Each structure stands twice: as structure tokens, then as C-alpha cells.
Amino acid sequence: MSRGGKAHNWYYDELKQVGVDYTDKIMVEEYDSDMQNLRDIKKELEEISTSISLKADQVIIEIGTGTGEFGIEASKYCKKVIAVDVSKAMLDFAHEKAKMRKRSNIEFVHGGFLTYTHQGELADVVITQLALHHLPDFWKMVALKRISKMLKDGGRLYIRDVVFPSGVEDYDGFFNKIINRLEIEVGAKIAEETKIHIKEEYSTFDWIMESLLTKAGFTLDEIKYYNEFLATYVCTKKKSS
Ligand SMILES: C[S@@+](CC[C@H](N)C(=O)[O-])C[C@H]1O[C@@H](n2cnc3c(N)ncnc32)[C@H](O)[C@@H]1O
């Protein structure tokens, strides 16, 4: 299903892939199998469920759902998941997976941070993992303000993303060390994708992320920086005045 809003012609084109191409079917299959191998999805779900206090009566929007692993599992513990992604190939893959796992309370919507238009009951939670960095900083702010409008007052926003630390003296050394370590620990493909990420995608600094979230109307409840350049933010939407 498509539910993209009408954008102005000066709007950022979020359907155009930046960095790693997630519109390619083979790439999508490989992404899913890499993530199954590299990530502890069950542990992620447990951590996120605790952070956002996941409940049976909640509506969750997941933006940048990818191959749907989180949304599909989360749908077992809430009323409804709306899984949004700009890549049709990702959505088709995730949809098939949901059918195989017999999940019916998950809706797949073709759209993104800047184009998904939420309809119906406001959401209790918006979650996005490893996706917001696809937008340049100005558009991250636009996205966060749009997310705020999708949420109930007091609704929660959970973000996991690649975020760069601001306190590094030598970024060449910092990134070379990460790339070399990834090459040894998880192989050349992930190391290569990390290079593309640094070079072409829009991960930003920790202090910029914190400031964007605050200025977009969120209270920062929990912030975690780990594994050199990963971050999680658990936020609450401030009450509208
Ligand atoms: C690295 S994958 C992460 C997928 C999944 N969230 C995960 O944790 O495995 C990034 C996903 O974000 C999607 N994406 C990129 N730009 C987006 C945008 N502007 N709005 C929504 N999704 C976007 C891509 O199509 C891709 O599925």
C-alpha cells in the first residue's frame, strides 16, 4: 500500500537511494541474512520493548522497517504495527516474511520519513533503526517534527542509528580502525558498506542529534552511545501547549 503525502517540488527526494542500494532484490536478501547473522534480534526486541514499555493496546509505527524483522516480532506484543519504508523491494520481502509468520496486525506502507502520512488513531510509539541517517540534517529535523505529529502526547520515540562521536581528535585514524576491525571480525562486505556509509550517507554528530530531538519537541529520557559509532535515543513527545 502506498500512503505518500504530496510533497512540494523543492522537497528532498527520499525515494532516491543514497549510499547502499536497498531497492535491489538480491541486496535485500543479503541484507536480511547478514542481519540475522550479525544481530541478536531477540535481545534487541527485549531491550526496545522495555525502553518503550511495549503494551498490548499500543499502535506502533516503524519507519525504515527494512526486511521487517523488528516490526513483525513486535506485532506479537501490541495492537498494530505500521511498517513504512521507501524501498518497495524491502517492503515486499518484509510482507512475505510477515505472511509466513502468520502476522496479520502489521500493515506495510510504501513511504518514508518525509512522505508517510499517518491516518487514524495517533501512535503510541514511533521506532526507527539504522534509517534516519539517510536524510541530511535539515531533513532529519523535518522528519522528527513530522514524527512528533504522528504521536500522542507522551508518546515515545525510539531511535537506533549510526551517530558519530564529536570528541575524536583524529577522524582518519578513528574510521580506519573501525573499518579494519570490521574487516577482520565480520568480513570485507560489511567493511565495504561501512566505507560507503561514511562517504555517502548522512550520519551526524552526537550533539547535533541531541539538539535536533530537543528542538523537535522531545524529552530525551535515555541516551546510549556504544560500539564506537552506534547510538540509541529513547524520547518522549512533550505535551502540545
Ligand atoms: C540499514 S536499513 C535498516 C533496516 C531495519 N530498520 C533494520 O534495523 O535492519 C535502512 C532502511 O531504511 C530505508 N530508508 C532509507 N531512507 C528512508 C527514508 N527516507 N524513509 C524511510 N525509510 C528509509 C531503506 O530503504 C532501508 O530499508
Side-chain angles (χ1 to χ4, degrees):
M1 176 185 181
S2 173
R3 207 191 287 156
K6 240 188 220 153
H8 305 288
N9 60 6
W10 47 265
Y11 238 64
Y12 185 79
D13 180 5
E14 64 178 352
L15 294 182
K16 204 167 100 200
Q17 292 283 307
V18 172
V20 178
D21 183 4
Y22 294 115
T23 57
D24 180 85
K25 197 166 174 280
I26 305 289
M27 184 61 118
V28 169
E29 283 165 13
E30 282 178 11
Y31 179 83
D32 193 59
S33 103
D34 287 346
M35 291 303 115
Q36 303 282 354
N37 293 332
L38 292 173
R39 286 163 75 171
D40 187 342
I41 308 275
K42 197 163 168 269
K43 192 163 159 247
E44 277 179 22
L45 179 69
E46 277 167 15
E47 276 172 13
I48 298 170
S49 307
T50 309
S51 294
I52 60 174
S53 317
L54 187 65
K55 290 188 194 76
D57 60 350
Q58 289 179 331
V59 172
I60 295 186
I61 303 171
E62 187 188 17
I63 308 183
T65 192
T67 56
E69 201 56 47
F70 173 82
I72 293 167
E73 284 310 297
S75 74
K76 294 177 184 164
Y77 307 99
C78 65
K79 185 162 87 179
K80 184 177 181 185
V81 174
I82 301 165
V84 179
D85 204 290
V86 291
S87 159
K88 194 76 178 55
M90 281 288 200
L91 278 181
D92 290 346
F93 188 97
H95 202 166
E96 270 315 301
K97 193 192 279 185
K99 277 197 239 160
M100 272 160 50
R101 295 193 194 167
K102 303 198 179 351
R103 302 305 314 153
S104 55
N105 59 338
I106 177 162
E107 181 187 357
F108 292 92
V109 180
H110 189 215
F113 291 107
L114 304 176
T115 47
Y116 168 69
T117 308
H118 187 61
Q119 287 163 2
E121 183 185 349
L122 288 175
D124 299 281
V125 177
V126 172
I127 164 153
T128 179
Q129 297 198 78
L130 305 173
L132 191 62
H133 69 265
H134 283 95
L135 298 178
D137 287 355
F138 168 73
W139 295 103
K140 287 189 185 78
M141 179 62 138
V142 174
L144 292 171
K145 283 176 175 273
R146 294 187 86 249
I147 286 173
S148 171
K149 293 209 173 95
M150 297 170 203
L151 282 167
K152 293 177 179 161
D153 281 349
R156 314 299 297 280
L157 167 63
Y158 182 99
I159 301 179
R160 184 197 307 274
D161 209 350
V162 174
V163 172
F164 298 146
S166 47
V168 171
E169 280 298 317
D170 162 28
Y171 283 103
D172 290 13
F174 175 78
F175 285 122
N176 278 332
K177 201 169 138 215
I178 291 176
I179 291 159
N180 290 338
R181 181 178 57 74
L182 288 174
E183 202 152 353
I184 294 163
E185 290 177 4
V186 289
K189 180 168 172 280
I190 299 290
E192 209 46 51
E193 285 176 5
T194 305
K195 286 185 204 167
I196 296 175
H197 185 115
I198 298 164
K199 195 169 160 181
E200 297 176 25
E201 300 179 16
Y202 299 105
S203 276
T204 194
F205 285 119
D206 41 18
W207 59 274
I208 294 180
M209 279 300 295
E210 290 174 27
S211 186
L212 288 172
L213 284 161
T214 309
K215 288 184 193 298
F218 291 96
T219 305
L220 290 161
D221 305 323
E222 265 177 63
I223 305 176
K224 201 165 118 192
Y225 295 109
Y226 65 106
N227 284 8
E228 287 141 322
F229 61 5
L230 282 170
T232 57
Y233 303 92
V234 185
C235 316
T236 302
K237 175 182 169 171
K238 285 187 201 145
K239 282 202 166 54
S240 341
S241 43

